[in-house]
Amino acid sequence: MKLLVAVKRVIDYNVKIRVKADKTGVETANVKMSMNPFDEIAVEEAIRLKEAGAAKEIVAVSMGPQGCQETIRTALAMGADRGIHVLTDIALEPLAVAKLLKAIIAKEQPGLVILGKQAIDDDCNQTGQMLAALMNWPQATFASKLKLTAETAEVTREVDGGLETIAIKLPAVVTTDLRLNEPRYASLPNIMKAKKKTIDQTTPEALDVNVQPRLTTLQVTEPVKRQGGKKLGSVEELVDKLMHEAQVI
Ligand code: AMP
């Protein structure tokens, strides 16, 4: 079985995000970019499935500017077999990504597509669901455990108050949750080997997908600054402040 894994290039989760002065978005110039953490988990899961003999080939797909090649290389260094880069400088919305993935699925015919449950830059949590709808395939979102047979995927999902285990028919879409696995670091020999692996490049036009944005961002602002805390000397002082300053009692 072939596995398709979607890997998005996002601002590294350690970077302190700065909003642009004109409030149209966030600063990305000279900012460290990395693979979306949930997508690292998706790549790791695909590699484990291959190592366990449940899959034969892993194809990592990324969509966006030229820098996405680096993100695909990271997936290849972790253990993916080859990459596909859909080159575009247009900011892609989840529906556009889902449509591009659908076009790639038509060519690649994977048995399973694994995505992150959400990208940490737009926090949309939409692409996997939209892709399943466009394909008319079953979906299992927020996977914390995944078992494959030739025809089904058994997926444990984190739901409110516990775990739910469902079985879905393949081909299907699975999105990863945080506790599915701990992604490996790419070793130096594997980073070197990854340089020789193929990355095919295509474009939305070549895939015949219109990716023009449909949403308008009105404004991006920083979170309200938190006020500093203060240590009080006694319970009486606390009660007094709660009554007269905060007026909560
Ligand atoms: P979102 O719906 O934007 O929160 O993204 C959910 C998942 O869709 C991500 O974790 C990725 O697996 C995939 N995805 C979204 N955008 C892209 C992109 N530009 N390139 C590759 N994968 C993407």
Side-chain angles (χ1 to χ4, degrees), residues 31-123:
V31 169
K32 182 174 182 236
M33 306 292 283
S34 298
M35 188 188 297
N36 182 45
F38 291 107
D39 303 351
E40 284 183 2
I41 296 173
V43 175
E44 175 66 35
E45 196 61 20
I47 298 166
R48 290 186 190 191
L49 288 169
K50 189 179 168 194
E51 285 171 348
K56 278 225 165 71
E57 193 188 19
I58 302 166
V59 183
V61 186
S62 192
M63 293 142 193
Q66 194 61 32
C68 291
Q69 295 254 340
E70 230 177 77
T71 313
I72 297 175
R73 281 285 164 220
T74 305
L76 299 178
M78 285 172 75
D81 297 294
R82 62 189 170 87
I84 300 176
H85 175 210
V86 183
L87 177 66
T88 175
D89 285 327
I90 296 177
L92 296 172
E93 291 170 1
L95 183 59
V97 175
K99 286 180 179 171
L100 291 169
L101 283 171
K102 184 182 178 199
I104 291 168
I105 289 170
K107 289 178 196 266
E108 294 287 337
Q109 301 287 319
L112 181 70
V113 183
I114 313 179
L115 300 89
K117 74 167 177 183
Q118 100 194 47
I120 62 164
D121 53 359
D122 61 19
D123 269 348

Side-chain angles (χ1 to χ4, degrees), residues 4-249:
L4 199 70
V5 186
V7 292
K8 185 174 186 184
R9 181 174 166 84
V10 297
I11 295 179
D12 187 90
Y13 70 95
N14 282 311
V15 170
K16 186 168 178 335
I17 304 289
R18 276 178 300 121
V19 172
K20 284 184 186 163
D22 63 4
K23 297 188 177 173
T24 55
V26 299
E27 284 294 353
T28 51
N30 302 320
V31 169
K32 182 174 182 236
M33 306 292 283
S34 298
M35 188 188 297
N36 182 45
F38 291 107
D39 303 351
E40 284 183 2
I41 296 173
V43 175
E44 175 66 35
E45 196 61 20
I47 298 166
R48 290 186 190 191
L49 288 169
K50 189 179 168 194
E51 285 171 348
K56 278 225 165 71
E57 193 188 19
I58 302 166
V59 183
V61 186
S62 192
M63 293 142 193
Q66 194 61 32
C68 291
Q69 295 254 340
E70 230 177 77
T71 313
I72 297 175
R73 281 285 164 220
T74 305
L76 299 178
M78 285 172 75
D81 297 294
R82 62 189 170 87
I84 300 176
H85 175 210
V86 183
L87 177 66
T88 175
D89 285 327
I90 296 177
L92 296 172
E93 291 170 1
L95 183 59
V97 175
K99 286 180 179 171
L100 291 169
L101 283 171
K102 184 182 178 199
I104 291 168
I105 289 170
K107 289 178 196 266
E108 294 287 337
Q109 301 287 319
L112 181 70
V113 183
I114 313 179
L115 300 89
K117 74 167 177 183
Q118 100 194 47
I120 62 164
D121 53 359
D122 61 19
D123 269 348
C124 277
N125 176 9
Q126 293 171 2
T127 311
Q129 294 89 329
M130 286 179 170
L131 176 65
L134 290 176
M135 295 302 300
N136 201 18
W137 280 3
Q139 61 177 307
T141 52
F142 312 150
S144 63
K145 214 165 158 194
L146 172 59
K147 233 164 67 187
L148 279 193
T149 68
E151 279 161 24
T152 60
E154 199 179 283
V155 181
T156 302
R157 312 180 56 241
E158 296 193 358
V159 293
D160 256 2
L163 297 174
E164 173 190 57
T165 302
I166 58 171
I168 53 173
K169 280 202 185 130
L170 299 176
V173 175
V174 167
T175 71
T176 61
D177 211 334
L178 200 61
R179 279 164 287 276
L180 181 59
N181 60 49
E182 248 186 57
R184 70 195 63 190
Y185 287 105
S187 64
L188 189 60
N190 286 345
I191 293 173
M192 301 312 285
K193 264 196 240 161
K195 294 191 179 178
K196 296 209 178 96
K197 294 184 183 175
T198 333
I199 300 179
D200 291 318
Q201 200 168 63
T202 181
T203 59
E205 296 72 36
L207 294 169
D208 199 19
V209 176
N210 179 356
V211 294
Q212 284 306 321
R214 293 163 169 239
L215 307 173
T216 312
T217 302
L218 299 179
Q219 199 186 56
V220 177
T221 55
E222 299 215 0
V224 183
K225 288 235 165 20
R226 285 182 64 182
Q227 305 275 319
K230 190 176 175 195
K231 269 193 180 165
L232 300 178
S234 67
V235 173
E236 288 74 28
E237 206 183 332
L238 172 64
V239 172
D240 181 67
K241 287 219 180 288
L242 289 174
M243 279 174 86
H244 298 110
E245 275 182 35
Q247 297 188 340
V248 291
I249 53 173

